[in-house]
Structure formats: structure tokens, C-alpha cells
Amino acid sequence: MTLGDLAQILEDHFRPKARDITRFAGTGYSFEEWFNWEQFSAFTALAFECNPKPGYKTHFTGHASAQLCDIASSAKDGTTWLVETSLVHAYTQNKWKAKITEDRAKLQGAVAQGVRKVQLMLLCSDVETDLQTKWAYWFEGMPFWAAPDSKKYFSDGEQGEVCLLLWEVE
């Protein structure tokens, strides 16, 4: 399974939920946990093995840390995908930039054969579109930001937009 396949699975699952996502964003509260459980639902609906909150030491030999990831999913071809998720909307505070950077560092520091590592970012707004361009200022200082390996954009059918940005982390 490729990163593009993974992105398509997520788009197929979340596109019908776009208006819900932008409504959630409009509240100003985090719904990252909901987003993670919905990923779990998307993968298990396709008969993938999926584990929420997997420990890094479970997937990476010699990783003694008690750190947890957001989702681990094993595709039918045997590929295991470890996903760190971030949620960004108009109310996301600057303190969350550090969490995004730390998630990337966790993924970069974990090495194992047969495990592919992905940083997934959900950008969403109930009143704006073209989010990756308009919100680029917020992501200054994150060199990876400008070039996602895969991206999916879709309208909420009204004034908002949902963007799924994925980076495969080496």
C-alpha cells in the first residue's frame, strides 16, 4: 500500500463528513480524539488491523520510551503505518506548534523495518478555503510544511474546507 492509497482511504471516509468537521472547527475546541477514532473506523471497515494509541516500543526495537502514537494500522499487504495526527483550525493556539514539531521528531527517531511513519495534519475551517496557502504564516519554522507528500482538499458544501496533508517521515 502506498501513501497515496492511505490518503485516498482517508478522503473516502472523511469527505462525506466534511460539514461535520467544519462545524466542529467552528466551535474552537479540539476534536483530534474524534478524528483519530474516525481513522480507526475507516481502516477497520476495510478489514485492516488497527490499534489506537500504540506504544512506540511495540513497533520499534530498542525504543525504550513510553511514548504513544495516535494510530497504527496494518494493511492487507502487511505494511504497518504508524500515524501521528495534528488538528489545526482557526482557533488553534501557537502552543500546538511545538506538539506538531515533537510528533515529527518522535517519528524521525523511530527506526524499524516494515513500518512506515506518517505525519497527518487535518486543516479545517467553516468560513475559509485555500487553507494551506492562507495559513502558511502559522507554520513558519516548520520546514517540512510547504511540501506534503500527499494532500486531499474538499469543500464542506458551504463556505469551508477540509484539508488532509500527509508526510511520510524518514
Side-chain angles (χ1 to χ4, degrees):
M1 186 167 90
T2 67
L3 183 65
D5 296 333
L6 182 73
Q8 190 61 53
I9 290 167
L10 294 172
E11 179 184 12
D12 291 347
H13 184 80
F14 287 108
R15 181 180 287 276
K17 301 174 187 305
R19 187 62 188 124
D20 290 337
I21 292 170
T22 61
R23 281 188 189 114
F24 294 162
T27 70
Y29 291 99
S30 177
F31 53 96
E32 185 175 320
E33 205 58 35
W34 172 87
F35 183 58
N36 289 335
W37 282 112
E38 285 292 325
Q39 289 177 72
F40 177 88
S41 180
F43 295 130
T44 56
L46 296 172
F48 289 14
E49 181 183 326
C50 193
N51 299 298
K53 303 287 184 197
Y56 270 78
K57 62 184 171 185
T58 302
H59 294 280
F60 301 103
T61 307
H63 202 289
S65 171
Q67 293 175 320
L68 300 177
C69 190
D70 289 313
I71 294 282
S73 181
S74 297
K76 294 174 186 174
D77 67 0
T79 306
T80 297
W81 293 88
L82 212 60
V83 181
E84 287 285 2
T85 302
S86 299
L87 166 67
V88 178
H89 54 60
Y91 298 95
T92 302
Q93 298 173 0
N94 286 339
K95 68 181 181 180
W96 295 107
K97 292 179 185 182
K99 184 255 188 209
I100 294 168
T101 303
E102 288 165 9
D103 281 352
R104 188 165 195 88
K106 283 194 302 186
L107 289 169
Q108 288 172 325
V111 179
Q113 285 191 326
V115 178
R116 296 176 74 177
K117 305 170 293 184
V118 176
Q119 187 159 19
L120 168 62
M121 194 174 301
L122 170 65
L123 303 182
C124 49
S125 172
D126 62 339
V127 295
E128 288 185 278
T129 58
D130 194 24
L131 300 178
Q132 189 179 8
T133 301
K134 288 181 182 173
W135 292 357
Y137 72 91
W138 194 83
F139 294 96
E140 288 177 2
M142 293 181 208
F144 65 90
W145 158 252
D149 297 315
S150 185
K151 54 188 169 185
K152 299 288 185 175
Y153 297 86
F154 38 96
S155 170
D156 71 354
E158 295 185 19
Q159 302 175 49
E161 180 178 70
V162 174
C163 303
L164 298 171
L165 305 176
L166 297 92
W167 294 266
E168 188 158 2
V169 179
E170 299 298 323

